[in-house]
Amino acid sequence: MQTNFNEIQKIVNHIEANFDREITAHEIESISHYSYRNFQRIFFKIFNETISGFQKRLRLENSYKKLIYTEDGISEIAWHVGYFNIQSFSKAFKQQYSISPVEARKQKHEVFKEFIENNKTDLKFEIKYKDPVSVYCKFIKAQDYNNQEIDALWEEIEPEDELFNVAYGIILDQPLITSYSHCRYGAAITSEDDVNGFFRRDIFGGRYVKFTHYGSYENILETYRSFYRYWLSDHKFLLDNSDVIEEYEESEVTHIYFPLYE
């Protein structure tokens, strides 16, 4: 049986949306139209991890982001990501990251230290509300958000550029927390008609901090460094753990939207 990453994105989205609870074999089968056993095999072949392992990783990665992005209490975070008591959460977190949730919150500057050091670029930003936008997406695993893999995805899409007016990049993971090999990127386009081979979903819908990268995408990490440097030194807002969106407005202009904690 043949499949690919984009074909199973519907069930991946379902797992992501419900990572904080047990997902049944019946749910998997009704959404994927595969037997649960076959889907497990396909999922492992693509992600190199089991469905339950993927779900556990999402729980812990989202909890880590909440620890460093927000001021929520640790017990509240544990409950939000699907742990019913703080003891089991703390044990799982320490097994994954070799530090406790309390230590992770205290050491959040260490998470970004190597990434942001020696960067002095000024950053201008604005806070704005973005209405939901319906887009068609194609997702890949992009190790550490490797530009070559992302460029190859857009080159695959380019022949269809008459179909869309605006293009977006969906940054699903935080590479300073998520293992490089598990980082996922989505190329998203707008279209009035269905686009074959693309998965439909909504993006945006809330308040964001927006900043802009000017120049080649090869240098976009410098702009991210500037943002994290500013955010860590002057907390004027709390961040959310949902997706970061890149909006490709024109040649060498990329608007970057970080979701704000409500």
Side-chain angles (χ1 to χ4, degrees):
M1 185 178 296
Q2 298 293 319
T3 189
N4 59 50
F5 186 81
N6 196 63
E7 287 175 342
I8 67 165
Q9 191 58 47
K10 180 182 290 187
I11 186 62
V12 173
N13 282 0
H14 182 74
I15 295 172
E16 288 183 312
N18 297 278
F19 70 87
D20 58 339
R21 67 171 180 83
E22 192 69 28
I23 295 176
T24 66
H26 176 72
E27 284 181 86
I28 298 289
E29 290 175 344
S30 63
I31 296 173
S32 68
H33 304 297
Y34 292 104
S35 71
Y36 185 68
R37 182 177 178 181
N38 277 338
F39 187 80
Q40 282 184 311
R41 179 178 58 81
I42 293 167
F43 190 93
F44 188 85
K45 183 177 180 181
I46 294 175
F47 288 93
N48 197 31
E49 60 185 332
T50 64
I51 295 172
S52 60
F54 175 70
Q55 188 174 25
K56 180 181 178 181
R57 181 168 62 79
L58 288 182
R59 288 178 177 178
L60 294 174
E61 289 173 358
N62 275 280
S63 71
Y64 205 143
K65 286 189 279 189
K66 280 185 167 294
L67 285 167
I68 62 176
Y69 288 167
T70 79
E71 297 175 349
D72 288 352
I74 293 176
S75 59
E76 182 181 356
I77 291 172
W79 177 83
H80 180 83
V81 300
Y83 287 89
F84 296 110
N85 64 73
I86 195 168
Q87 290 79 16
S88 60
F89 168 63
S90 296
K91 180 179 179 180
F93 191 94
K94 192 163 187 177
Q95 286 178 337
Q96 179 75 15
Y97 298 111
S98 300
I99 58 174
S100 70
V102 172
E103 292 170 324
R105 170 158 280 173
K106 289 179 179 178
Q107 297 175 17
K108 69 179 177 181
H109 284 76
E110 294 298 314
V111 175
F112 296 94
K113 181 179 179 181
E114 183 178 348
F115 181 70
I116 67 174
E117 65 184 4
N118 300 322
N119 179 263
K120 299 180 179 179
T121 306
D122 292 333
L123 180 74
K124 295 181 179 179
F125 69 91
E126 60 178 313
I127 306 295
K128 64 182 305 180
Y129 180 86
K130 291 285 289 183
D131 290 324
V133 176
S134 181
V135 295
Y136 290 89
C137 311
K138 184 172 288 189
F139 291 89
I140 60 170
K141 290 179 71 175
Q143 182 165 332
D144 196 23
Y145 292 105
N146 181 285
N147 284 329
Q148 290 182 336
E149 293 172 322
I150 292 173
D151 287 345
L153 175 60
W154 281 109
E155 287 174 6
E156 176 188 340
I157 294 172
E158 283 297 328
E160 306 295 334
D161 60 4
E162 73 275 5
L163 294 174
F164 61 90
N165 299 316
V166 184
Y168 303 94
I170 304 174
I171 312 300
L172 291 167
D173 302 294
Q174 164 53 272
L176 300 178
I177 296 174
T178 300
S179 170
Y180 288 176
S181 61
H182 289 307
C183 289
R184 295 160 298 150
Y185 172 88
I189 60 176
T190 59
S191 174
E192 295 180 359
D193 303 309
D194 290 345
V195 183
N196 290 333
F198 285 69
F199 182 84
R200 186 172 182 175
R201 65 172 286 182
D202 287 340
I203 58 175
F204 294 125
R207 292 173 64 249
Y208 292 79
V209 54
K210 170 191 172 185
F211 55 104
T212 302
H213 169 73
Y214 298 97
S216 169
Y217 199 83
E218 293 295 323
N219 301 319
I220 199 167
L221 281 182
E222 297 305 316
T223 303
Y224 275 95
R225 286 189 177 98
S226 296
F227 171 77
Y228 284 123
R229 189 183 186 91
Y230 174 83
W231 176 70
L232 286 168
S233 63
D234 190 2
H235 288 91
K236 292 186 176 179
F237 42 77
L238 298 177
L239 301 177
D240 189 55
N241 59 305
S242 52
D243 303 339
V244 175
I245 307 295
E246 296 178 350
E247 180 180 19
Y248 311 125
E249 184 178 80
E250 56 186 79
S251 177
E252 299 199 337
V253 176
T254 303
H255 302 301
I256 305 169
Y257 294 86
F258 262 87
L260 292 175
Y261 180 75
E262 299 292 347

